[in-house]
Amino acid sequence: MGNKKEDSNESHVSGQANKPLSLPAHALPYRAVAEELGANVQDGLAAADANSRLEEYGRNELDDGPGVQPAKILVRQIANAMMLVLIMAMAVSFGISSYIEGGVIAAVIILNIVVGFFQEFNAEKTMDSLRSLSSPTAVAIRSGNAEVVPTAEIVPGDMVELKTGDTVPADIRLLEAVNFETDEALLTGESLPVQKDAEATFDPDTGPGDRLNVAFSSSTITKGRARGIVFATGMKTEIGSIAAALRATGRNYRPVKRKPDGSAGAHRYAEAWGLTAGDFIGHFLGVNVGTPLQRKLSKLAILLFGIAVVCAIIVLAANDFSNNREVIIYAVATGLSMIPACLVVVLTITMAAGTKRMVQRHVIVRKLDSLEALGAVTDICSDKTGTLTQGKMVAKRAWIPSKGTYSVGTSVNPFDPTQGDLSHSDAPPVALGVRSEHDGDQEGDVMPYEELLKDNLPLQDYLNAASLANLANVHESADGWKGRGDPTEVAIQVFVSRFNCNRQRLTEEESWGQVTEFPFDSDVKKMSVIFENKSTGKTWVFTKGAVERIIDSCKSVTWELGSEPTHMNTEHRDQILQNMEALAAQGLRVLALASKIYQGEKAASGDEYDRNVIESDLTFHGLIGLYDPPRVESAGAVKQCHQAGVSVHMLTGDHPGTAKAIAAQVGIVPRNAQAISKDVADSIVMTASSFDKLSDDDIDRLPALPLVIARCSPNTKVRMVDALHRRGAFAAMTGDGVNDSPSLKRADVGIAMGQAGSDVAKDASDIVLTDDNFASILNAIEEGRRMFDNIQKFVLHLLSENIAQACTLLIGLAFKDSTGLSVFPLAPVEILWVIMITSGMPDMGLGVERAAPDIMSRPPQSLKTGIFTMEIMIDILVYGFWMAALCLSAFAIVLFGFGDGDLGQGCNDSYSDRCDTVFRARATTFVCLTWFALFLAWEMVNMRRSFFRMQPGSKKYFTQWMYDVWENQFLFWAVIAGFVTIFPTLYIPVINHVVFKHEGISWEWGIVFVEAMLFFAGVEAWKWAKRIYFRRQARKGLGKVPDLESKVFENYMVQGFESSEAADPEKKVDVDNSS
């Protein structure tokens, strides 16, 4: 386990810690467990202490298998269609006693296996490390701060906070449990969740299923929240003792279909074995494993294998199916020419390098399929809080109807309640107007909190509700103020702490004791607590939540100072909503607070209370406005998304006014709202209730889907994804809560938050953002497009060479010697050299090529066409035929232009004076093809721009290409190596005549240089023609767009124009007449 070998579990007692306690943890009070473990129940472990315990106890991991398995990787290198062709070619070569060719092919096979093994081994290790990065995390209290820690780094003595949707990271003795239930089916087989009780203790012999004060590792939290001390990790946990059962591997054969009585006919056994054999062959050939792109390329390999066989048959047919050794070697060479042997290896390396690069840009890829999907994303549905905004809430305004507005001044540390002045104004927010700046604005007179609280019962009631209907913890430690919990609740807790009404003080010093809690629910959009005031004996309900939901639950309000609560009427509700709108217009997130005295009987457990009854007939206390500023980079990231053809939608639980204000600040909605009619503006920003009332047909009839949906529920997110899919869009959806998992699974790319996200959301996602930042989604899309581009580049490069080689050899069948046998322009070893040396290494370089300058200015890619777009397929043919034409012309010029045209006899087999011209022509053709392959790799860095002008903005008109080729040093040195290694093959005796079957050249270099210039001229001319074509296509489709905002919001502008025409028909007539 981990980096330290665990002691044997044989002596481990169930319920004990890694280092045994005086009694099992469930048999001890939690304070005794904390004391024996040396834990701090207030501030948790110090960082240094946690590190030393990690060294002592090892990583919190189960011994779950061998991890990266070299043997399986080695088998995969041998068992694929590409290698099958090489093995068959080797067998044929040895079979006809062509030992040189057979030996070289064997060397190529070994080299391919070795290189492929080490590259895939490194790729597997990379993916294994990424899997550990995306593994579940836990919130541990370290040095007073709530830190998101990988589960593997949790140690005995850690204090951990648990909430709904989390996976319990280790065996934990609970300190506090509020409506806390866990699903322990994995451990006990019990299908129903188990409610926990932190205060209870049990007999040491109590079984795991009855230890209600312990949360077990790997169980899932289905309800409530808790806090506890870790006492067992890794293989010392209860789940660790049955880890062997969890590691049971799935069967790799198809089951036999049986009748109800258990019998099965012989045909069912044959069917099962047939399907199993089909699965094995599909796995062997790679057509039913891996990502969609890997499966597609495996099918391509099978297709090329078939083409190779056809090519070999054509060669044999052209030579009357002679069994002559030279004819068979020619057929082998032609077959080999169609095999891109390094394709799978290069793809594996490219994808592994891409995932590694994404980690550096705060993105963890959980599913390789998403790498291909990212480049095709057309719409992003993003949350607001913490993703588009900083997630650092600060309470700026509090409004109490009978008292007025309280404001908070500038505060450098959002957790420090002693920073920032408090001020008061009798005026409500609606009378104070909209402020554009939130930091430092003051309303009314600055006063100390003691003066504000003096004889102020409405403020005291408001503060009690704000403090107690709150799960956050704000406290002062040795190194300053600390806050842990949900950012919204922390901000409210800081606000009440400014008045010395901190929850901790109220519960410890003023005799408030919690009875039960109803956690926040995304459907009801409220949370409530029941507290007993032990000094008065009264029981209170305190509630906070969305303003509309709270006022619907209220029946009274204190509207005038000094008066008793009066019945809340429609006028009161309207004024509350107006003040909410005024706060929301400032970009503040607005919540409402309410309470009541509970008159019912005290229940034995939280489940026995009826939440609907508890949260009804409340007394309204006021509003609180929280400011969460947009991230600095959000506006730029949204703009880049728009430039890349990606629409951004904000789906948030906030009020529409708040959502619209933030959306306008980051550019999701148009700032030029005057250009849009009111009805269209209403369709840009919708509430979930309005959206959910629409049928699917109604939604489909909308000219464009809303850009902002406020008060969003989980079901709304699912409907939004479905609506995007019906419009042919490719959607990415962000989420962090348990209820977000359906929409994450439904989206084409599910994006979970690494810091604020629950483990359930992460499990449902495709990628995880380690910094919860919207800009990181843009990074992921850019990386996805870059990888897609690079895969296209090296596939185009490889297949163009295959076309060139195959065409050269097939057309070369016309060159027949005096015995009537075809003389090949390229020898088998030359072909293998081009495939392995001048293709393999440069293609790896293309796989790590940087992103093109215009990569985020293009529309999203289409996964329907994949990498084989019409442009790519035409390019493959054009470049392949052009290279073949040049190679054949080089062969013909040397042989017929400057030579005597004598094709000799036996020139496919050995060198003789009569074959000298043929060997020189073959060498010239080989050098030309090698150079073309190397130059084409550089040309493929940008598939449309000129090699000499890849950076359009550069002022280095004649030297920019030098900087471009040096930019990708892997590709640069791969090309240089390809140039250098030509010379030993040409001029070293024996190697040239016997192995490569060519002769060193002299004056023929002039032909090579001319052919190279013609190659460049042809490729550059083709690129120039493509640029002209695509520019014209762009002009036709684009028209005149004045600016980016008009382009992005064009649908809404058009809709607004049509609406205005419908409202004023005469206006349309005037427009028509004026034109």
Side-chain angles (χ1 to χ4, degrees):
M1 155 188 159
N3 53 11
K4 179 173 179 171
K5 186 175 177 64
E6 281 282 331
D7 297 333
S8 171
N9 269 21
E10 291 179 7
S11 60
H12 179 68
V13 176
S14 175
Q16 271 290 5
N18 291 44
K19 185 180 288 184
L21 305 172
S22 58
L23 287 172
H26 58 271
L28 293 170
Y30 67 78
R31 293 191 183 279
V33 174
E35 185 178 343
E36 290 193 35
L37 289 171
N40 184 329
V41 297
Q42 182 66 35
D43 288 335
L45 298 177
D49 190 10
N51 289 334
S52 66
R53 292 184 187 220
L54 188 61
E55 287 293 321
E56 180 181 357
Y57 297 114
R59 291 172 67 82
N60 177 32
E61 295 172 334
L62 298 179
D63 182 14
D64 57 354
V68 178
Q69 295 177 279
K72 284 191 175 181
I73 295 173
L74 184 61
V75 170
R76 281 203 298 270
Q77 301 312 306
I78 301 168
N80 61 70
M82 305 286 190
M83 198 58 63
L84 197 61
V85 176
L86 291 174
I87 292 171
M88 288 174 64
M90 178 187 70
V92 170
S93 299
F94 282 128
I96 60 173
S97 302
S98 289
Y99 299 112
I100 297 293
E101 285 78 6
V104 170
I105 296 173
V108 168
I109 290 171
I110 293 168
L111 178 65
N112 215 23
I113 289 172
V114 171
V115 171
F117 171 80
F118 282 108
Q119 294 292 355
E120 190 166 342
F121 180 73
N122 290 330
E124 286 279 346
K125 284 174 64 180
T126 299
M127 291 308 299
D128 198 50
S129 66
L130 293 182
R131 278 189 286 272
S132 68
L133 284 176
S134 64
S135 63
T137 54
V139 177
I141 309 304
R142 300 250 174 110
S143 302
N145 295 315
E147 298 181 5
V148 178
V149 179
T151 298
E153 295 177 13
I154 292 293
V155 296
D158 256 327
M159 183 164 66
V160 174
E161 291 185 341
L162 304 167
K163 64 181 185 302
T164 304
D166 287 351
T167 299
V168 180
D171 283 0
I172 295 173
R173 175 60 170 93
L174 298 173
L175 309 177
E176 174 188 14
V178 181
N179 290 343
F180 186 68
E181 295 182 0
T182 62
D183 180 357
E184 297 176 356
L186 187 67
L187 181 70
T188 64
E190 176 59 50
S191 60
L192 295 175
V194 179
Q195 185 161 20
K196 299 295 183 178
D197 181 2
E199 301 294 334
T201 56
F202 299 94
D203 187 87
D205 296 330
T206 303
D210 295 321
R211 297 172 192 168
L212 302 183
N213 55 8
V214 172
F216 294 105
S217 175
S218 300
S219 60
T220 304
I221 299 162
T222 58
K223 183 179 178 183
R225 63 180 180 87
R227 188 164 54 95
I229 297 292
V230 173
F231 66 88
T233 59
M235 297 301 287
K236 299 295 186 185
T237 61
E238 287 299 314
I239 206 71
S241 65
I242 56 170
L246 296 178
R247 290 198 303 270
T249 57
R251 58 191 175 197
N252 54 6
Y253 59 88
R254 294 288 188 103
V256 177
K257 291 182 180 179
R258 298 181 183 276
K259 296 177 183 177
D261 62 359
S263 63
H267 69 286
R268 290 299 185 188
Y269 285 94
E271 178 188 51
W273 282 107
L275 290 171
T276 302
D279 289 344
F280 174 77
I281 294 169
H283 194 282
F284 178 87
L285 296 174
V287 297
N288 57 8
V289 291
T291 71
L293 180 59
Q294 288 171 328
R295 293 195 294 270
K296 190 177 288 186
L297 290 179
S298 294
K299 290 174 183 175
L300 172 66
I302 295 171
L303 174 64
L304 293 175
F305 170 70
I307 293 173
V309 172
V310 170
C311 289
I313 293 171
I314 291 172
V315 171
L316 294 172
N319 291 275
D320 300 323
F321 290 97
S322 169
N323 61 358
N324 186 290
R325 184 165 165 264
E326 292 183 41
V327 173
I328 296 173
I329 283 293
Y330 199 130
V332 168
T334 309
L336 288 175
S337 70
M338 285 306 301
I339 302 303
C342 54
L343 180 61
V344 176
V345 174
V346 175
L347 179 65
T348 303
I349 294 167
T350 300
M351 296 183 87
T355 54
K356 208 168 184 179
R357 201 174 149 109
M358 282 191 176
V359 173
Q360 298 168 356
R361 304 189 73 178
H362 309 294
V363 178
I364 296 172
V365 178
R366 296 188 69 252
K367 299 172 186 173
L368 277 178
D369 296 30
S370 62
L371 289 177
E372 302 157 33
L374 281 166
V377 168
T378 60
D379 290 75
I380 299 173
C381 299
S382 173
D383 191 14
K384 177 184 77 70
T385 304
T387 306
L388 288 162
T389 61
Q390 296 177 20
K392 296 178 180 176
M393 294 279 191
V394 179
K396 303 301 293 183
R397 298 277 189 274
W399 175 62
I400 300 172
S402 61
K403 290 296 295 180
T405 305
Y406 295 86
S407 302
V408 178
T410 304
S411 175
V412 177
N413 181 358
F415 299 147
D416 190 348
T418 63
Q419 292 184 5
D421 295 326
L422 288 168
S423 60
H424 173 251
S425 170
D426 293 331
V430 71
L432 295 175
V434 177
R435 293 296 186 97
S436 60
E437 296 296 329
H438 300 282
D439 287 334
D441 52 359
Q442 294 291 146
E443 303 289 358
D445 302 322
V446 175
M447 299 181 184
Y449 78 86
E450 295 91 348
E451 189 174 337
L452 292 171
L453 276 172
K454 189 175 181 182
D455 299 324
N456 195 340
L457 183 60
L459 177 59
Q460 187 62 62
D461 289 342
Y462 175 96
L463 294 172
N464 284 346
S467 179
L468 296 174
N470 193 314
L471 308 181
N473 179 284
V474 174
H475 67 279
E476 187 176 18
S477 61
D479 55 344
W481 285 88
K482 308 288 184 185
R484 65 173 186 265
D486 178 79
T488 300
E489 296 198 330
V490 169
I492 296 174
Q493 199 63 244
V494 171
F495 177 77
V496 298
S497 297
R498 296 178 186 279
F499 296 87
N500 196 29
C501 285
N502 186 290
R503 175 189 170 106
Q504 190 172 350
R505 189 184 74 79
L506 294 182
T507 54
E508 293 179 2
E509 299 178 19
E510 294 201 7
S511 303
W512 285 96
Q514 182 166 322
V515 177
T516 191
E517 169 192 317
F518 298 93
F520 177 81
D521 185 285
S522 55
D523 290 323
V524 301
K525 298 194 180 301
K526 289 179 286 192
M527 73 84 63
S528 298
V529 291
I530 300 178
F531 267 83
E532 181 183 359
N533 189 325
K534 295 174 183 175
S535 60
T536 64
K538 292 182 178 179
T539 301
W540 288 77
V541 175
F542 298 107
T543 303
K544 78 167 184 297
V547 180
E548 302 93 328
R549 301 297 180 90
I550 293 293
I551 61 176
D552 286 344
S553 301
C554 290
K555 75 169 185 179
S556 60
V557 58
T558 303
W559 203 260
E560 300 293 338
L561 185 62
S563 66
E564 291 296 315
T566 60
H567 176 72
M568 181 181 282
N569 56 35
T570 304
E571 184 181 350
H572 292 146
R573 287 188 169 87
D574 290 343
Q575 289 191 44
I576 291 170
L577 291 174
Q578 288 172 16
N579 282 287
M580 175 193 69
E581 297 284 357
L583 292 171
Q586 302 173 39
L588 300 181
R589 183 182 186 189
V590 188
L591 299 176
L593 299 162
S595 72
K596 73 174 182 180
I597 296 177
Y598 179 63
Q599 305 290 354
E601 294 183 6
K602 187 175 179 181
S605 68
D607 284 342
E608 296 181 25
Y609 289 101
D610 185 340
R611 181 167 187 168
N612 292 326
V613 173
I614 294 297
E615 294 179 339
S616 64
D617 298 334
L618 302 172
T619 298
F620 180 83
H621 290 308
L623 305 177
I624 187 163
L626 306 146
Y627 184 56
D628 182 14
R631 290 179 183 267
V632 177
E633 61 273 23
S634 288
V638 170
K639 184 177 180 181
Q640 281 185 280
C641 282
H642 289 158
Q643 289 172 334
V646 179
S647 298
V648 181
H649 306 262
M650 179 196 288
L651 276 60
T652 176
D654 279 346
H655 178 267
T658 308
K660 185 177 180 180
I662 296 297
Q665 289 180 44
V666 299
I668 290 176
V669 299
R671 287 188 170 88
N672 185 19
Q674 293 79 11
I676 302 174
S677 62
K678 184 181 184 303
D679 57 332
V680 178
D682 291 341
S683 70
I684 290 178
V685 180
M686 296 181 71
T687 61
S689 58
S690 301
F691 187 79
D692 290 340
K693 285 176 185 175
L694 300 174
S695 67
D696 288 349
D697 291 337
D698 292 334
I699 293 172
D700 293 342
R701 278 194 291 268
L702 292 172
L705 291 174
L707 296 173
V708 176
I709 300 182
R711 297 301 193 213
C712 198
S713 67
N715 184 58
T716 310
K717 291 186 175 184
V718 173
R719 292 199 70 202
M720 183 67 170
V721 172
D722 289 343
L724 287 166
H725 285 163
R726 290 195 300 273
R727 291 173 183 245
F730 207 79
M733 172 68 75
T734 69
D736 52 14
V738 180
N739 291 336
D740 290 330
S741 57
S743 58
L744 291 174
K745 287 182 177 178
R746 192 75 64 93
D748 300 291
V749 180
I751 304 171
M753 302 296 112
Q755 295 177 357
S758 66
D759 291 335
V760 172
K762 291 176 189 175
D763 287 341
S765 69
D766 300 299
I767 64 174
V768 177
L769 305 183
T770 58
D771 60 351
D772 292 9
N773 192 339
F774 180 83
S776 296
I777 302 175
L778 191 71
N779 294 340
I781 291 174
E782 183 180 346
E783 283 300 314
R785 290 189 180 190
R786 185 190 67 83
M787 269 192 290
F788 194 92
D789 267 13
N790 290 349
I791 291 168
Q792 279 189 322
K793 289 171 186 176
F794 70 68
V795 168
L796 171 55
H797 181 250
L798 270 172
L799 297 185
S800 296
E801 287 181 47
N802 290 138
I803 294 287
Q805 291 173 144
C807 288
T808 301
L809 288 169
L810 289 174
I811 297 171
L813 288 169
F815 301 122
K816 297 202 173 184
D817 62 13
S818 56
T819 63
L821 297 179
S822 298
V823 177
F824 44 66
L826 289 168
V829 176
E830 289 177 329
I831 291 167
L832 289 170
W833 184 268
V834 172
I835 289 172
M836 295 304 300
I837 305 300
T838 57
S839 288
M841 298 304 289
D843 285 331
M844 290 180 193
L846 286 172
V848 296
E849 181 61 39
R850 63 178 177 170
D854 65 339
I855 197 165
M856 294 304 286
S857 301
R858 306 181 210 150
Q861 293 138 352
S862 169
L863 282 188
K864 289 182 181 177
T865 55
I867 59 171
F868 293 104
T869 62
M870 186 58 68
E871 180 187 357
I872 292 294
M873 290 191 287
I874 293 173
D875 281 352
I876 288 171
L877 295 175
V878 169
Y879 296 140
F881 290 154
W882 182 235
M883 286 192 287
L886 293 174
C887 286
L888 286 167
S889 65
F891 187 80
I893 288 169
V894 175
L895 194 61
F896 300 107
F898 294 94
D900 55 8
D902 183 11
L903 287 161
Q905 184 177 345
C907 296
N908 285 349
D909 188 38
S910 59
Y911 176 80
S912 65
D913 291 339
R914 191 179 174 189
C915 290
D916 183 72
T917 306
V918 172
F919 270 51
R920 283 179 172 275
R922 194 177 286 148
T924 307
T925 306
F926 168 65
V927 174
C928 284
L929 183 59
T930 302
W931 278 28
F932 297 162
L934 297 172
F935 286 141
L936 185 62
W938 270 335
E939 284 280 4
M940 289 302 97
V941 169
N942 194 305
M943 291 185 286
R944 291 185 189 172
R945 290 201 166 276
S946 168
F947 169 72
F948 303 99
R949 194 75 181 146
M950 290 190 195
Q951 307 299 325
S954 173
K955 301 296 184 185
K956 303 179 180 74
Y957 298 106
F958 301 106
T959 58
Q960 181 59 46
W961 65 273
M962 298 181 187
Y963 294 93
D964 290 332
V965 299
W966 181 247
E967 186 74 29
N968 185 341
Q969 293 193 25
F970 189 104
L971 178 59
F972 176 82
W973 290 114
V975 172
I976 295 301
F979 278 118
V980 171
T981 51
I982 290 174
F983 296 98
T985 69
L986 288 174
Y987 299 111
I988 295 179
V990 180
I991 288 178
N992 55 5
H993 287 177
V994 178
V995 178
F996 283 85
K997 295 190 170 34
H998 59 212
E999 173 64 276
I1001 57 176
S1002 53
W1003 58 268
E1004 291 88 351
W1005 281 107
I1007 295 174
V1008 172
F1009 280 105
V1010 172
E1011 296 277 1
M1013 286 188 284
L1014 288 172
F1015 170 77
F1016 266 117
V1019 174
E1020 290 293 325
W1022 176 247
K1023 283 187 171 184
W1024 174 79
K1026 286 207 301 180
R1027 289 196 297 275
I1028 296 295
Y1029 171 78
F1030 285 113
R1031 278 179 199 148
R1032 287 179 179 171
Q1033 290 296 109
R1035 275 194 221 104
K1036 285 180 186 176
L1038 194 59
K1040 291 185 177 180
V1041 178
D1043 55 35
L1044 181 63
E1045 185 170 281
S1046 299
K1047 176 184 174 184
V1048 171
F1049 304 115
E1050 185 177 10
N1051 286 342
Y1052 299 99
M1053 304 291 186
V1054 169
Q1055 187 183 354
F1057 182 67
E1058 290 172 352
S1059 299
S1060 63
E1061 284 180 350
D1064 188 3
E1066 292 183 6
K1067 182 178 179 183
K1068 182 178 188 300
V1069 174
D1070 292 340
V1071 172
D1072 291 342
N1073 290 338
S1074 65
S1075 62

